[in-house]
């Protein structure tokens, strides 16, 4: 018997006699009562802003009050065409360099980390979420799930070319451990939680 076979034989002889059960994942299923409040609290904690609205008119009013509408605003939402351009979808992505605000829908949000699930059909162009100065994402209040386990179950076997979870504005604390928002992407994120 060579040394390799001897080592393998000793490893087999010294295996544990009983295999312990896998840990219970029941605690992961603990759900807080108020999903919207949890979502808003987490979003605020990571630098975002949640705004509850009843309809798209309230979103338009908010944007007029809080953003410079003389600068370039784009969207994939037809209801917002009064304040934002819809005719950019087939443009060269480089032409988006001067976008001030991009507004698009999300499929759903996740309360535990305030992430929003967005796919190609909502982005318009994949880069459109990463180039503008500011982001605004619209999500239906009924489409907030508790945690990432529910989120991955909800995504399931959907067909999409590209999808991304977006949570809060971009940020980094690499430089002298000082938090910088908007370091390499949108400087702020507002999430419109619509009825």
């Amino acid at each position: 018997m060579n040394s390799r076979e001897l080592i393998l034989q000793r490893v087999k002889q010294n295996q544990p006699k009983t295999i312990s059960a896998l840990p219970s994942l029941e605690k992961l299923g603990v759900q807080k009562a108020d999903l919207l409040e949890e979502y808003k609290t987490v979003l605020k904690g990571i630098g975002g802003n949640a705004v509850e609205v009843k309809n798209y008119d309230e979103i338009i009013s908010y944007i007029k009050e809080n953003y410079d509408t003389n600068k370039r605003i784009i969207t994939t939402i037809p209801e917002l065409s009064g304040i934002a351009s819809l005719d950019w979808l087939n443009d060269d992505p480089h032409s988006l360099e001067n976008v001030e605000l991009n507004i698009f829908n999300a499929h759903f949000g996740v309360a535990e980390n305030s992430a929003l699930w967005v796919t190609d059909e909502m982005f318009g162009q994949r880069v459109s979420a990463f180039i503008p100065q500011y982001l605004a994402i619209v999500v239906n209040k009924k489409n907030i799930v508790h945690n990432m386990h529910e989120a991955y179950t909800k995504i399931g076997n959907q067909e999409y070319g590209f999808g991304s979870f977006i949570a809060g504005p971009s940020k980094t604390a690499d430089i002298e451990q000082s938090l910088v928002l908007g370091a390499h992407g949108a400087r702020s994120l507002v999430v419109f939680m619509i009825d």
Side-chain angles (χ1 to χ4, degrees):
M1 180 180 296
N2 64 31
S3 59
R4 179 182 177 274
E5 291 170 345
L6 181 62
I7 292 170
L8 291 174
Q9 181 184 21
R10 288 185 180 164
V11 168
K12 280 183 184 178
Q13 290 172 347
N14 291 301
Q15 292 294 311
K17 299 219 185 306
T18 58
I19 298 174
S20 58
L22 293 174
S24 170
L25 300 178
E26 286 181 26
K27 279 195 165 190
L28 295 175
V30 172
Q31 299 171 351
K32 297 192 178 173
D34 193 343
L35 279 176
L36 293 180
E37 284 307 312
E38 181 183 0
Y39 184 91
K40 291 190 293 187
T41 301
V42 173
L43 182 63
K44 183 176 182 180
I46 63 170
N49 183 25
V51 177
E52 290 189 58
V53 294
K54 293 186 183 350
N55 52 45
Y56 287 102
D57 290 335
E58 289 186 18
I59 294 174
I60 291 171
S61 296
Y62 182 93
I63 290 169
K64 285 180 178 178
E65 291 172 18
N66 294 282
Y67 295 93
D68 184 352
T69 55
N70 294 319
K71 293 187 176 180
R72 188 173 180 200
I73 300 175
I74 62 173
T75 189
T76 55
I77 305 170
E79 293 85 351
L80 301 178
S81 63
I83 57 159
S85 172
L86 288 167
D87 63 353
W88 58 275
L89 298 175
N90 295 320
D91 292 352
D92 176 3
H94 294 94
S95 71
L96 301 177
E97 67 184 353
N98 65 344
V99 172
E100 183 75 0
L101 173 65
N102 184 8
I103 314 156
F104 51 88
N105 287 313
H107 290 283
F108 62 88
V110 183
E112 78 173 347
N113 60 8
S114 78
L116 295 154
W117 176 246
V118 187
T119 56
D120 272 344
E121 66 191 74
M122 296 174 160
F123 281 127
Q125 288 190 26
R126 292 179 187 181
V127 300
S128 70
F130 309 103
I131 292 177
Q133 293 294 314
Y134 304 100
L135 276 182
I137 303 177
V138 181
V139 66
N140 192 300
K141 289 178 186 177
K142 292 180 272 184
N143 294 335
I144 304 293
V145 298
H146 288 87
N147 53 42
M148 291 301 286
H149 297 288
E150 285 184 46
Y152 284 117
T153 300
K154 196 170 177 85
I155 293 169
N157 294 323
Q158 288 181 12
E159 294 290 326
Y160 51 87
F162 176 79
S164 179
F165 282 105
I166 297 176
S170 71
K171 58 190 119 338
T172 185
D174 291 347
I175 302 167
E176 295 185 16
Q177 312 253 315
S178 181
L179 181 63
V180 177
L181 295 177
H184 45 273
R187 295 175 7 194
S188 73
L189 169 67
V190 62
V191 176
F192 292 110
M193 304 178 83
I194 198 164
D195 289 325

